[in-house]
Amino acid sequence: MVYNKLLKEKGAIRLTFLPFAVPHITQAEIDEVVDTLRSGWLTTGPKTKRFEREFAERIGAPYGLAVNSATAAMHLALDAIGLQAGDEVIVPVYTFTATAEVVIYFRARPVFVDVDPVTCNLDPARLEERITDRTRAIMVVHIAGLPAEMDAIQSIAKSHNLPVIEDAAHAFPAQYRGRMIGTIGDLTAFSFYATKTLSTGEGGMLTTANPVYAERAAIMALHGISHDAWKRYSAGGSWYYEVLQAGYKYNMTDIAAAIGLHQLARSDCLLERRREIAQRYTEAFSRWSELETPPNPAHVEHAWHLYMLRLRPEQLTITRDEFIQALTKANIGSSVHFIPLHLHPFYRDTYRLVAEDFPAALHAYRRAVSLPLYPGMTDEDVEDVIAAVEQIIGVHKI
Ligand SMILES: Cc1ncc(COP(=O)(O)O)c(C=O)c1O
């Protein structure tokens, strides 16, 4: 402790551990959850319906369907477009496993594409060569909250008559050339997982402008039945329902929606604080040639879910893993986004992939470290992160 204090005085170490991510929960969320618990209606009901409506309005999407994860939303999206066994779906390799695993639910095949070396998003220049006569959809991921190059992707998709499904797990609220993410592709999946920019603990939303997709997804999200429980058990509802399909159990609870309503109402402020922290990091780290700061091009509004810093190991005497160990010792939490899917045993062995198949993803992964970035961080927390990074880089630069 005395040692820690001395180091702290020298600006080198925090006294307490700074977690990598913490959800931003206020009294408003707590009161709304309590109100839900007291209301007698815990599962999908009036608060979920309101959350769907307000979220869709915020995005400007004609339809929003609240579900229990982004994974569920992506599964429903692929179901809505009629994906079949043996089909292929294009998936950027630099993502979380959820983006690809939903394809496998259908016994279809994820066909991986390498990413742009700067943005880590699907590289449109590499997209067309992966399209075959079995391709049925293109999945796009907006890594860290930075929108992918949608114009180029959409134009390739159109020329092959393929739907675009966006994994926007990181991208609320984000914009591409003035358009909100959630209104560009055919279907978009958002995540409200505990670490995300809008959190309901677990949760997700599917948005679309297509009424046929919206109706199919709503039915499949609740066992394939014709009427949800709210319609059956509320005043004026009917006990009768019909099973139209063998569906899933993906509905959001009103307890989760209660949290979401207030996170949504604060989403502009939450983004503003994230943006401020990201700007402060970039201002500090762009002074170091050993560090590569995340891109933030003028034609997008970044959601700043993650601050993905990249090291230039050729200018350092430590590896990325050693850098993370040093950060942990300095009481700063961090993470790595992402281990490209082709490096994981399942994808590597199932599709016979080797590390060098996707060089841009491999190179980005080996240098990546995500720093704490959440609205509840104080200015002092932010400066502690900067001090720790600068101290490590200062000691280990060549
Ligand atoms: C890129 C990406 N897609 C999808 C998901 C899955 O989201 P959920 O946990 O809501 O299913 C995640 C979760 O971290 C993610 O990072």
Side-chain angles (χ1 to χ4, degrees):
M1 196 63 195
V2 174
Y3 173 70
N4 268 2
K5 200 158 178 243
L6 275 175
L7 281 172
K8 175 75 185 167
E9 276 158 15
K10 288 164 82 184
I13 199 170
R14 283 175 62 94
L15 299 179
T16 56
F17 186 72
L18 180 72
F20 171 66
V22 180
H24 195 265
I25 300 296
T26 67
Q27 194 59 41
E29 279 95 332
I30 294 168
D31 291 344
E32 194 76 45
V33 167
V34 171
D35 178 70
T36 310
L37 296 175
R38 293 208 165 110
S39 75
W41 195 275
L42 304 189
T43 188
T44 314
K47 291 195 182 175
T48 306
K49 298 296 159 199
R50 206 178 112 206
F51 182 45
E52 279 175 343
R53 210 171 44 242
E54 291 182 10
F55 188 89
E57 267 167 24
R58 169 78 170 83
I59 298 271
Y63 301 96
L65 177 71
V67 288
N68 56 21
S69 70
T71 309
M74 289 191 287
H75 187 189
L76 293 169
L78 291 175
D79 170 82
I81 62 149
L83 193 68
Q84 300 290 322
D87 290 345
E88 293 178 357
V89 176
I90 304 282
V91 177
V93 77
Y94 203 80
T95 185
F96 184 60
T97 186
T99 326
E101 80 192 21
V102 290
V103 174
I104 296 164
Y105 293 175
F106 295 84
R107 299 189 188 282
R109 182 189 178 102
V111 173
F112 295 118
V113 189
D114 208 354
V115 291
D116 179 281
V118 176
T119 64
C120 295
N121 280 328
L122 190 153
D123 187 349
R126 293 170 185 277
L127 175 56
E128 204 140 26
E129 69 202 35
R130 306 296 284 161
I131 295 174
T132 72
D133 55 8
R134 285 171 178 252
T135 309
R136 293 289 172 269
I138 296 168
M139 303 209 44
V140 180
V141 186
H142 307 296
I143 286 293
L146 173 73
E149 274 314 320
M150 293 307 293
D151 280 351
I153 294 166
Q154 293 272 95
S155 111
I156 295 167
K158 272 214 176 79
S159 70
H160 292 269
N161 207 15
L162 293 169
V164 172
I165 296 172
E166 292 173 64
D167 176 345
H170 301 177
F172 175 77
Q175 290 180 39
Y176 175 78
R177 297 196 191 279
R179 285 176 291 161
M180 288 297 290
I181 294 300
T183 62
I184 303 174
D186 295 83
L187 293 133
T188 304
F190 293 91
S191 173
F192 308 139
Y193 177 68
T195 58
K196 296 300 195 295
T197 51
L198 186 165
S199 175
T200 60
E202 299 282 357
M205 187 78 74
L206 182 65
T207 61
T208 183
N210 182 320
V212 179
Y213 291 162
E215 194 188 341
R216 168 84 186 182
I219 289 171
M220 294 305 280
L222 200 70
H223 303 293
I225 63 182
S226 54
H227 283 77
D228 63 27
W230 175 240
K231 285 186 195 144
R232 294 206 308 278
Y233 297 133
S234 53
S238 159
W239 59 268
Y240 184 74
Y241 65 90
E242 286 178 318
V243 176
L244 307 174
Q245 300 288 337
Y248 313 106
K249 184 69 167 75
Y250 283 162
N251 54 307
M252 176 178 275
T253 67
D254 262 23
I255 302 171
I259 306 172
L261 281 166
H262 292 276
Q263 299 260 302
L264 181 63
R266 283 208 315 286
S267 57
D268 283 332
C269 301
L270 296 175
L271 172 63
E272 186 49 42
R273 180 62 183 152
R274 285 180 179 274
R275 193 187 287 135
E276 221 171 69
I277 298 169
Q279 272 170 3
R280 176 71 194 107
Y281 279 162
T282 292
E283 181 188 74
F285 301 143
S286 47
R287 292 200 295 263
W288 297 82
S289 70
E290 296 80 7
L291 299 174
E292 187 182 323
T293 56
N296 185 21
H299 66 285
V300 304
E301 275 291 348
H302 201 311
W304 291 113
H305 163 50
L306 299 172
Y307 191 90
M308 281 170 27
L309 187 65
R310 273 172 283 176
L311 309 181
R312 293 205 170 94
E314 65 284 2
Q315 298 185 39
L316 291 166
T317 59
I318 49 169
T319 63
R320 185 272 314 273
D321 293 359
E322 288 163 343
F323 177 85
I324 288 178
Q325 281 163 16
L327 266 186
T328 310
K329 268 199 197 131
N331 264 339
I332 306 292
S334 61
S335 189
V336 172
H337 297 90
F338 279 89
I339 306 168
L341 295 182
H342 71 296
L343 301 183
H344 288 289
F346 171 76
Y347 296 105
R348 183 192 63 206
D349 300 345
T350 307
Y351 304 111
R352 300 210 169 88
L353 301 168
V354 296
E356 289 70 28
D357 284 344
F358 303 98
L362 183 68
H363 188 56
Y365 159 63
R366 286 184 171 155
R367 304 184 300 125
V369 48
S370 298
L371 299 178
L373 173 63
Y374 44 97
M377 288 175 75
T378 63
D379 289 347
E380 196 187 22
D381 292 335
V382 176
E383 295 310 315
D384 283 347
V385 176
I386 293 170
V389 169
E390 291 189 331
Q391 209 245 353
I392 299 165
I393 297 296
V395 169
H396 295 285
K397 66 187 183 138
I398 289 173

